[in-house]
Amino acid sequence: MMSDELAEVEYFRYGVAQVNLIPSGRKVKVIIPDEKADNIVVGGIYSISDDYQTLDC
């Protein structure tokens, strides 16, 4: 299930993205699987799972 918050990617390197949650403003780190890594764009806004571990990209 996806969270009501969105995730703005601030930093992405070596399979880990630091995201800013919108609207709460919390910052969390998300591990990105290799098969999704090419789809991640710094500054991009994505849906995020309820456990804040998976971006919908």
Side-chain angles (χ1 to χ4, degrees), residues 26-44:
R26 287 182 46 209
K27 294 185 188 299
V28 297
K29 290 189 171 55
V30 181
I31 296 173
I32 308 298
D34 289 339
E35 61 271 7
K36 291 187 175 185
D38 291 338
N39 298 330
I40 300 296
V41 176
V42 174

Side-chain angles (χ1 to χ4, degrees), residues 14-27:
Y14 303 118
V16 177
Q18 178 174 303
V19 300
N20 179 36
L21 298 177
I22 302 168
S24 72
R26 287 182 46 209
K27 294 185 188 299

